[in-house]
Amino acid sequence: MKCQTKDFRQEHKKEMRAVQDSMDVLNGKWKIPIISSICFYNKRRFSDILNDIDGISNRMLSKELKELELNKLIKRTVLDTQPVTVEYQLTEHGLTLKTIIDNLTEWGISHRKKIIEE
Amino acid sequence: MKCQTKDFRQEHKKEMRAVQDSMDVLNGKWKIPIISSICFYNKRRFSDILNDIDGISNRMLSKELKELELNKLIKRTVLDTQPVTVEYQLTEHGLTLKTIIDNLTEWGISHRKKIIEE
DNA sequence: CAGGATCCTATACGATACTG
DNA sequence: CAGTATCGTATAGGATCCTG
């Protein structure tokens, strides 16, 4: 069964690149928790996200938020308060990640079961 | 609108942990390409996977395959040939990742468009 | 409050050589 | 063929302190 023609393999390589593109954006320990936190509360301030996520440092939060903004997944809004507060929210494009996050949530739960049951 | 009760937040933390569980399993540069390669061809040998994935070293492939096996996502079968060949295939549990991979593929494509269009 | 600067460690990953 | 062993580098991430 040599239906694995060159076209097929080319198509497969394209798909692999696409998945990797996604993973590049979502990779690291904190991206998804951050998105998840902002998404859950709709709008969320820096210090609130810092509190939502166990163990994250302000250095990492700051860095990751920048990357997410660069990738157009979140929008940053500086509020005119004293002292300044900053609000983050998902862009429309960021919201399209919801399906994936939901899937990952579901799979994570079933995976944990699977591993524990031995 | 203070509907963010403790129960709500607890539920949210659970979900975040679940997503992180998934990401722990899928993290790193190579896990998904490996799964994707095995899945695409159904069964796949070590050296074939090595060729499917641009840039991966045998050291990493070996290491990642072990982790995937530990996580019960793939099954390893030693064939009685001379010299030995080893076949990898997805377990049933591993196959449940397909939805997620498909979603990530789709999202990766749309994300690339989004970023390029500026 | 929302970060930036600095320093440090651990881990991921790559390259190469070797073995049953 | 299917790995293992060894070594070296780069990056991720943590801790702490500083500032407008």
Side-chain angles (χ1 to χ4, degrees), chain A residues 78-115:
Chain A
V78 182
L79 300 181
D80 194 13
T81 56
Q82 193 43 269
V84 275
T85 50
V86 179
E87 255 179 17
Y88 292 92
Q89 55 189 310
L90 293 191
T91 61
E92 255 183 66
H93 182 225
L95 280 169
T96 62
L97 275 172
K98 190 152 183 6
T99 312
I100 289 178
I101 291 183
D102 288 346
N103 284 337
L104 286 170
T105 305
E106 222 180 309
W107 194 85
I109 291 169
S110 85
H111 177 64
R112 177 178 284 268
K113 270 186 208 146
K114 185 74 185 177
I115 294 304

CSV table of all heavy atoms in Angstrom, one decimal, chain A residues 78-115:
chain,number,residue,atom,x,y,z
A,78,VAL,N,-4.0,50.9,29.3
A,78,VAL,CA,-3.5,51.6,30.5
A,78,VAL,C,-4.7,52.5,31.0
A,78,VAL,O,-5.2,53.3,30.2
A,78,VAL,CB,-2.3,52.5,30.2
A,78,VAL,CG1,-1.8,53.2,31.5
A,78,VAL,CG2,-1.2,51.6,29.6
A,79,LEU,N,-5.0,52.4,32.2
A,79,LEU,CA,-6.1,53.2,32.8
A,79,LEU,C,-5.5,54.4,33.5
A,79,LEU,O,-4.5,54.3,34.1
A,79,LEU,CB,-7.0,52.3,33.7
A,79,LEU,CG,-7.6,51.1,33.1
A,79,LEU,CD1,-8.4,50.4,34.2
A,79,LEU,CD2,-8.5,51.5,31.9
A,80,ASP,N,-6.3,55.5,33.4
A,80,ASP,CA,-5.8,56.7,33.9
A,80,ASP,C,-6.2,56.9,35.4
A,80,ASP,O,-7.0,57.7,35.8
A,80,ASP,CB,-6.4,57.9,33.1
A,80,ASP,CG,-5.7,59.2,33.4
A,80,ASP,OD1,-4.6,59.1,34.0
A,80,ASP,OD2,-6.2,60.3,33.0
A,81,THR,N,-5.5,56.1,36.2
A,81,THR,CA,-5.7,56.1,37.6
A,81,THR,C,-4.4,56.5,38.3
A,81,THR,O,-3.4,56.6,37.7
A,81,THR,CB,-6.2,54.7,38.1
A,81,THR,OG1,-5.2,53.8,37.7
A,81,THR,CG2,-7.5,54.4,37.5
A,82,GLN,N,-4.5,56.6,39.6
A,82,GLN,CA,-3.3,57.0,40.4
A,82,GLN,C,-3.1,56.1,41.5
A,82,GLN,O,-4.0,56.1,42.5
A,82,GLN,CB,-3.4,58.4,40.9
A,82,GLN,CG,-2.2,59.1,41.4
A,82,GLN,CD,-0.9,58.8,40.6
A,82,GLN,OE1,-0.2,57.8,40.9
A,82,GLN,NE2,-0.7,59.6,39.6
A,83,PRO,N,-2.1,55.1,41.5
A,83,PRO,CA,-1.2,54.9,40.5
A,83,PRO,C,-1.8,54.2,39.3
A,83,PRO,O,-2.9,53.6,39.4
A,83,PRO,CB,-0.1,54.1,41.1
A,83,PRO,CG,-0.8,53.4,42.2
A,83,PRO,CD,-1.9,54.2,42.7
A,84,VAL,N,-1.1,54.1,38.2
A,84,VAL,CA,-1.7,53.5,37.0
A,84,VAL,C,-2.1,52.1,37.2
A,84,VAL,O,-1.4,51.3,38.0
A,84,VAL,CB,-0.7,53.5,35.8
A,84,VAL,CG1,-0.7,54.8,35.1
A,84,VAL,CG2,0.7,53.2,36.3
A,85,THR,N,-3.1,51.7,36.6
A,85,THR,CA,-3.5,50.2,36.5
A,85,THR,C,-3.6,49.9,35.0
A,85,THR,O,-3.8,50.7,34.2
A,85,THR,CB,-4.8,50.0,37.2
A,85,THR,OG1,-5.8,50.9,36.7
A,85,THR,CG2,-4.7,50.1,38.7
A,86,VAL,N,-3.3,48.6,34.8
A,86,VAL,CA,-3.3,48.1,33.4
A,86,VAL,C,-4.2,47.0,33.2
A,86,VAL,O,-4.2,46.0,34.0
A,86,VAL,CB,-1.9,47.7,32.9
A,86,VAL,CG1,-1.9,47.2,31.5
A,86,VAL,CG2,-0.9,48.9,33.1
A,87,GLU,N,-5.1,47.0,32.2
A,87,GLU,CA,-6.0,45.9,32.0
A,87,GLU,C,-5.7,45.1,30.8
A,87,GLU,O,-5.3,45.7,29.8
A,87,GLU,CB,-7.4,46.5,31.8
A,87,GLU,CG,-8.3,46.4,32.9
A,87,GLU,CD,-9.7,47.0,32.6
A,87,GLU,OE1,-10.0,47.2,31.4
A,87,GLU,OE2,-10.4,47.3,33.5
A,88,TYR,N,-5.8,43.9,30.9
A,88,TYR,CA,-5.6,43.0,29.7
A,88,TYR,C,-6.9,42.3,29.4
A,88,TYR,O,-7.6,41.9,30.2
A,88,TYR,CB,-4.5,42.0,30.0
A,88,TYR,CG,-3.1,42.6,30.2
A,88,TYR,CD1,-2.7,42.9,31.5
A,88,TYR,CD2,-2.3,42.8,29.1
A,88,TYR,CE1,-1.4,43.5,31.6
A,88,TYR,CE2,-1.0,43.4,29.3
A,88,TYR,CZ,-0.6,43.7,30.5
A,88,TYR,OH,0.6,44.3,30.7
A,89,GLN,N,-7.1,42.2,28.1
A,89,GLN,CA,-8.2,41.3,27.6
A,89,GLN,C,-7.9,40.6,26.3
A,89,GLN,O,-7.0,41.1,25.6
A,89,GLN,CB,-9.5,42.2,27.5
A,89,GLN,CG,-9.3,43.4,26.6
A,89,GLN,CD,-10.6,44.3,26.7
A,89,GLN,OE1,-11.7,43.8,26.6
A,89,GLN,NE2,-10.3,45.6,26.9
A,90,LEU,N,-8.6,39.6,26.0
A,90,LEU,CA,-8.3,38.9,24.8
A,90,LEU,C,-8.8,39.6,23.6
A,90,LEU,O,-9.9,40.3,23.7
A,90,LEU,CB,-9.0,37.5,24.9
A,90,LEU,CG,-8.5,36.5,25.9
A,90,LEU,CD1,-9.1,35.1,25.6
A,90,LEU,CD2,-7.0,36.4,25.9
A,91,THR,N,-8.1,39.5,22.5
A,91,THR,CA,-8.6,40.1,21.3
A,91,THR,C,-9.6,39.0,20.7
A,91,THR,O,-9.7,37.9,21.2
A,91,THR,CB,-7.5,40.3,20.3
A,91,THR,OG1,-6.9,39.0,20.0
A,91,THR,CG2,-6.4,41.2,20.8
A,92,GLU,N,-10.2,39.4,19.6
A,92,GLU,CA,-11.1,38.4,18.9
A,92,GLU,C,-10.3,37.2,18.5
A,92,GLU,O,-10.7,36.1,18.7
A,92,GLU,CB,-11.7,39.1,17.7
A,92,GLU,CG,-13.1,39.4,17.8
A,92,GLU,CD,-13.7,40.0,16.5
A,92,GLU,OE1,-13.8,39.2,15.5
A,92,GLU,OE2,-14.0,41.2,16.5
A,93,HIS,N,-9.1,37.5,18.0
A,93,HIS,CA,-8.2,36.4,17.6
A,93,HIS,C,-7.8,35.5,18.8
A,93,HIS,O,-7.8,34.3,18.7
A,93,HIS,CB,-7.0,36.9,16.9
A,93,HIS,CG,-6.1,35.9,16.4
A,93,HIS,ND1,-4.7,36.0,16.6
A,93,HIS,CD2,-6.3,34.8,15.8
A,93,HIS,CE1,-4.1,34.9,16.1
A,93,HIS,NE2,-5.1,34.2,15.5
A,94,GLY,N,-7.6,36.1,19.9
A,94,GLY,CA,-7.2,35.4,21.1
A,94,GLY,C,-8.4,34.5,21.6
A,94,GLY,O,-8.2,33.4,22.1
A,95,LEU,N,-9.6,35.0,21.4
A,95,LEU,CA,-10.8,34.2,21.8
A,95,LEU,C,-10.9,32.9,21.0
A,95,LEU,O,-11.5,32.0,21.4
A,95,LEU,CB,-12.0,35.1,21.6
A,95,LEU,CG,-12.3,36.1,22.8
A,95,LEU,CD1,-13.4,37.1,22.4
A,95,LEU,CD2,-12.6,35.3,24.0
A,96,THR,N,-10.4,32.9,19.8
A,96,THR,CA,-10.5,31.7,18.9
A,96,THR,C,-9.7,30.5,19.5
A,96,THR,O,-9.8,29.4,19.1
A,96,THR,CB,-10.0,31.9,17.5
A,96,THR,OG1,-8.6,32.3,17.5
A,96,THR,CG2,-10.7,33.0,16.8
A,97,LEU,N,-8.9,30.8,20.6
A,97,LEU,CA,-8.2,29.8,21.2
A,97,LEU,C,-9.0,29.0,22.2
A,97,LEU,O,-8.6,27.9,22.7
A,97,LEU,CB,-7.0,30.3,22.0
A,97,LEU,CG,-5.7,30.6,21.2
A,97,LEU,CD1,-4.7,31.3,22.0
A,97,LEU,CD2,-5.1,29.2,20.8
A,98,LYS,N,-10.2,29.5,22.5
A,98,LYS,CA,-11.0,28.9,23.5
A,98,LYS,C,-11.3,27.4,23.2
A,98,LYS,O,-11.2,26.6,24.1
A,98,LYS,CB,-12.3,29.7,23.6
A,98,LYS,CG,-13.1,29.2,24.9
A,98,LYS,CD,-14.0,30.3,25.4
A,98,LYS,CE,-14.7,29.8,26.7
A,98,LYS,NZ,-14.4,28.5,27.2
A,99,THR,N,-11.6,27.1,22.0
A,99,THR,CA,-11.9,25.7,21.7
A,99,THR,C,-10.7,24.8,22.1
A,99,THR,O,-10.9,23.7,22.7
A,99,THR,CB,-12.1,25.5,20.2
A,99,THR,OG1,-13.0,26.5,19.7
A,99,THR,CG2,-12.6,24.1,19.8
A,100,ILE,N,-9.5,25.2,21.7
A,100,ILE,CA,-8.3,24.5,22.0
A,100,ILE,C,-8.1,24.3,23.5
A,100,ILE,O,-7.8,23.2,24.0
A,100,ILE,CB,-7.1,25.1,21.3
A,100,ILE,CG1,-7.2,25.0,19.8
A,100,ILE,CG2,-5.8,24.5,21.9
A,100,ILE,CD1,-6.0,25.6,19.1
A,101,ILE,N,-8.3,25.4,24.2
A,101,ILE,CA,-8.1,25.3,25.6
A,101,ILE,C,-9.1,24.4,26.3
A,101,ILE,O,-8.8,23.6,27.1
A,101,ILE,CB,-8.2,26.7,26.3
A,101,ILE,CG1,-7.0,27.5,25.8
A,101,ILE,CG2,-8.3,26.7,27.8
A,101,ILE,CD1,-6.9,28.9,26.4
A,102,ASP,N,-10.4,24.5,25.8
A,102,ASP,CA,-11.4,23.5,26.3
A,102,ASP,C,-11.0,22.1,26.0
A,102,ASP,O,-11.1,21.2,26.9
A,102,ASP,CB,-12.7,23.9,25.7
A,102,ASP,CG,-13.3,25.1,26.2
A,102,ASP,OD1,-12.8,25.6,27.2
A,102,ASP,OD2,-14.3,25.7,25.6
A,103,ASN,N,-10.5,21.9,24.8
A,103,ASN,CA,-10.1,20.5,24.5
A,103,ASN,C,-9.0,20.0,25.4
A,103,ASN,O,-9.0,18.9,25.8
A,103,ASN,CB,-9.6,20.4,23.0
A,103,ASN,CG,-10.8,20.4,22.1
A,103,ASN,OD1,-11.9,20.1,22.4
A,103,ASN,ND2,-10.5,20.9,20.8
A,104,LEU,N,-8.0,20.9,25.6
A,104,LEU,CA,-6.9,20.5,26.4
A,104,LEU,C,-7.3,20.3,27.8
A,104,LEU,O,-6.8,19.4,28.5
A,104,LEU,CB,-5.8,21.6,26.4
A,104,LEU,CG,-5.0,21.7,25.1
A,104,LEU,CD1,-4.2,23.0,25.0
A,104,LEU,CD2,-4.1,20.5,24.9
A,105,THR,N,-8.3,21.0,28.3
A,105,THR,CA,-8.8,20.8,29.7
A,105,THR,C,-9.4,19.4,29.8
A,105,THR,O,-9.0,18.7,30.7
A,105,THR,CB,-9.9,21.9,30.0
A,105,THR,OG1,-9.4,23.2,29.8
A,105,THR,CG2,-10.4,21.7,31.4
A,106,GLU,N,-10.3,19.1,28.8
A,106,GLU,CA,-10.9,17.8,28.8
A,106,GLU,C,-9.9,16.7,28.8
A,106,GLU,O,-9.9,15.7,29.5
A,106,GLU,CB,-11.9,17.8,27.6
A,106,GLU,CG,-13.2,17.1,27.9
A,106,GLU,CD,-14.0,17.1,26.7
A,106,GLU,OE1,-14.2,18.2,26.0
A,106,GLU,OE2,-14.5,16.0,26.3
A,107,TRP,N,-9.0,16.9,27.8
A,107,TRP,CA,-8.0,15.8,27.6
A,107,TRP,C,-7.1,15.6,28.9
A,107,TRP,O,-6.8,14.5,29.3
A,107,TRP,CB,-7.1,16.1,26.4
A,107,TRP,CG,-6.3,14.9,26.0
A,107,TRP,CD1,-6.8,13.8,25.2
A,107,TRP,CD2,-5.0,14.5,26.4
A,107,TRP,NE1,-5.8,12.9,25.1
A,107,TRP,CE2,-4.7,13.3,25.8
A,107,TRP,CE3,-4.1,15.1,27.2
A,107,TRP,CZ2,-3.5,12.7,26.0
A,107,TRP,CZ3,-2.8,14.5,27.4
A,107,TRP,CH2,-2.6,13.3,26.8
A,108,GLY,N,-6.8,16.7,29.5
A,108,GLY,CA,-5.9,16.7,30.7
A,108,GLY,C,-6.6,15.9,31.8
A,108,GLY,O,-5.9,15.1,32.5
A,109,ILE,N,-7.9,16.1,31.9
A,109,ILE,CA,-8.6,15.3,33.0
A,109,ILE,C,-8.6,13.8,32.7
A,109,ILE,O,-8.3,13.0,33.5
A,109,ILE,CB,-10.1,15.9,33.1
A,109,ILE,CG1,-10.0,17.3,33.6
A,109,ILE,CG2,-10.9,14.9,33.9
A,109,ILE,CD1,-11.4,18.0,33.5
A,110,SER,N,-8.9,13.5,31.4
A,110,SER,CA,-9.0,12.1,31.1
A,110,SER,C,-7.6,11.5,31.1
A,110,SER,O,-7.5,10.3,31.4
A,110,SER,CB,-9.7,11.9,29.7
A,110,SER,OG,-8.7,12.0,28.7
A,111,HIS,N,-6.6,12.2,30.8
A,111,HIS,CA,-5.3,11.7,30.8
A,111,HIS,C,-4.8,11.4,32.2
A,111,HIS,O,-4.2,10.4,32.5
A,111,HIS,CB,-4.3,12.7,30.2
A,111,HIS,CG,-2.8,12.3,30.2
A,111,HIS,ND1,-2.4,11.1,29.6
A,111,HIS,CD2,-1.8,12.8,30.9
A,111,HIS,CE1,-1.1,11.0,29.8
A,111,HIS,NE2,-0.7,12.0,30.7
A,112,ARG,N,-5.1,12.3,33.1
A,112,ARG,CA,-4.8,12.1,34.5
A,112,ARG,C,-5.4,10.8,35.0
A,112,ARG,O,-4.8,9.9,35.7
A,112,ARG,CB,-5.2,13.2,35.4
A,112,ARG,CG,-5.0,13.1,36.9
A,112,ARG,CD,-5.4,14.3,37.6
A,112,ARG,NE,-4.5,15.4,37.5
A,112,ARG,CZ,-3.5,15.6,38.4
A,112,ARG,NH1,-3.3,14.8,39.4
A,112,ARG,NH2,-2.7,16.6,38.2
A,113,LYS,N,-6.7,10.6,34.7
A,113,LYS,CA,-7.4,9.3,35.1
A,113,LYS,C,-6.6,8.2,34.5
A,113,LYS,O,-6.3,7.2,35.2
A,113,LYS,CB,-8.8,9.3,34.5
A,113,LYS,CG,-9.8,9.9,35.5
A,113,LYS,CD,-11.2,9.7,34.9
A,113,LYS,CE,-12.2,10.8,35.4
A,113,LYS,NZ,-13.2,11.2,34.4
A,114,LYS,N,-6.3,8.2,33.2
A,114,LYS,CA,-5.6,7.1,32.5
A,114,LYS,C,-4.3,6.8,33.2
A,114,LYS,O,-4.0,5.6,33.4
A,114,LYS,CB,-5.4,7.6,31.1
A,114,LYS,CG,-4.8,6.5,30.2
A,114,LYS,CD,-5.8,5.4,29.9
A,114,LYS,CE,-5.2,4.3,29.1
A,114,LYS,NZ,-6.2,3.3,28.9
A,115,ILE,N,-3.5,7.8,33.6
A,115,ILE,CA,-2.2,7.5,34.2
A,115,ILE,C,-2.3,7.0,35.6
A,115,ILE,O,-1.6,6.1,36.0
A,115,ILE,CB,-1.4,8.8,34.2
A,115,ILE,CG1,-1.1,9.2,32.7
A,115,ILE,CG2,-0.1,8.6,34.9
A,115,ILE,CD1,-0.4,8.2,31.9
